[in-house]
């Protein structure tokens, strides 16, 4: 493999032995490990410094890998984020995807497949085991999960973050829970909700939900 084809990776995990095993597998597969981190803050810093093709992150490391994924995805969109974790928990899976992760691999995965899995991510493929793909599909097909319709005139008026806030609230999450999911303060969530109400010309959240479900037209636009 020629040098310009080497996939560049920053990896983060708080266990040195795991990092060594992953590094060995990646390098044997023709990847270049630019840097290693043992915590989320260093992962974000090193990713910004090296600007790799992929940031490969553990979830349960100091500083929280999902928070690192959100920061990297927001500030370095050219770097693909892939989680490599022991956690098969649904909350960790869906929180990672909401944070911008392009893949979610379990540490039980054969390390030898990691290089090709990461190259697949850069080619637009999802790095995820078949069992996890099934769970993602079940989540999106479940009644009441995605209760708002993104492709609507009303939704087009919202910013991406305003949409995320309203979608979480429509799923029955509290203001505090939505704030935790998005790594912002409850006050920030309320500010986004106020902006949505203003844009949709409604007085309360339930009215906004009805508009975003397309159950009724935007106030003032009917007729």
């Amino acid at each position: 493999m020629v040098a310009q084809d080497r996939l560049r990776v920053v990896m983060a995990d708080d266990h040195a032995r795991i990092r060594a095993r992953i590094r060995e597998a990646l390098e044997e597969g023709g990847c270049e490990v630019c840097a290693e981190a043992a915590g989320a803050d260093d992962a974000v810093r090193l990713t910004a410094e090296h600007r790799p093709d992929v940031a490969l992150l553990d979830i349960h490391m100091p500083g929280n890998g999902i928070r690192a994924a959100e920061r990297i995805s927001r500030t370095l969109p050219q770097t693909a984020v892939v989680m490599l974790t022991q956690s098969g928990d649904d909350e960790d899976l869906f929180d990672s995807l909401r944070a911008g992760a392009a893949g979610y691999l379990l540490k039980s995965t054969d390390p030898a497949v990691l290089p090709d899995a990461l190259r697949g991510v850069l080619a637009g493929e999802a790095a995820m085991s078949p069992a996890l793909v099934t769970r993602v599909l079940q989540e999106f097909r479940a009644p009441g999960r995605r209760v708002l319709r993104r492709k609507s005139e009303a939704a087009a008026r919202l910013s991406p973050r305003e949409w995320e806030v309203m979608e979480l609230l429509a799923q029955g999450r509290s203001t505090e829970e939505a704030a935790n999911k998005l790594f912002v303060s409850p006050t920030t969530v309320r500010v986004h909700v106020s902006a949505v109400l203003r844009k949709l010309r409604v007085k309360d959240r339930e009215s906004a939900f009805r508009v975003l479900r397309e159950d009724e037209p935007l106030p003032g636009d009917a007729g």
Side-chain angles (χ1 to χ4, degrees), residues 35-104:
E36 298 181 19
D41 289 342
D42 282 343
V44 173
R45 177 180 59 80
L46 290 169
T47 301
E49 177 182 340
H50 293 277
R51 297 183 178 270
D53 300 303
V54 177
L56 187 61
L57 310 177
D58 184 26
I59 289 181
H60 299 296
M61 61 180 173
N64 191 307
I66 296 176
R67 289 180 182 271
E70 194 276 336
R71 291 167 62 189
I72 292 170
S73 297
R74 174 165 42 83
T75 60
L76 296 166
Q78 71 275 20
T79 294
V81 175
V82 175
M83 314 309 290
L84 182 62
T85 177
Q86 291 180 341
S87 174
D89 182 76
D90 282 356
E91 284 294 305
D92 284 338
L93 169 62
F94 294 117
D95 285 352
S96 295
L97 297 179
R98 292 187 188 101
Y104 192 99

Side-chain angles (χ1 to χ4, degrees), residues 102-219:
Y104 192 99
L105 299 172
L106 299 178
K107 289 181 179 177
S108 57
T109 301
D110 181 356
V113 309
L114 286 178
D116 284 342
L118 299 188
R119 291 189 181 93
V121 168
L122 297 184
E125 301 172 4
M128 195 175 299
S129 72
L132 295 180
V133 171
T134 299
R135 282 155 61 181
V136 170
L137 292 175
Q138 289 173 340
E139 171 77 5
F140 280 85
R141 290 171 177 167
R145 285 293 188 177
R146 293 185 61 83
V147 296
L148 307 184
R149 299 185 184 184
R150 182 178 290 275
K151 294 184 178 180
S152 68
E153 178 187 350
R157 299 190 179 194
L158 309 188
S159 70
R161 181 46 61 98
E162 289 166 354
W163 172 265
E164 290 176 328
V165 166
M166 296 306 292
E167 190 171 40
L168 289 170
L169 295 175
Q171 292 171 1
R173 301 182 189 274
S174 67
T175 297
E176 290 72 20
E177 288 171 335
N180 288 336
K181 294 293 181 186
L182 298 174
F183 310 119
V184 298
S185 71
T187 298
T188 299
V189 170
R190 295 186 184 97
V191 169
H192 285 310
V193 171
S194 295
V196 170
L197 300 185
R198 184 172 63 254
K199 289 179 178 181
L200 300 185
R201 301 195 295 274
V202 295
K203 295 182 178 180
D204 54 47
R205 295 182 183 188
E206 287 305 319
S207 298
F209 295 149
R210 286 196 296 271
V211 171
L212 291 169
R213 293 184 188 113
E214 296 185 335
D215 288 340
E216 55 184 48
L218 284 167

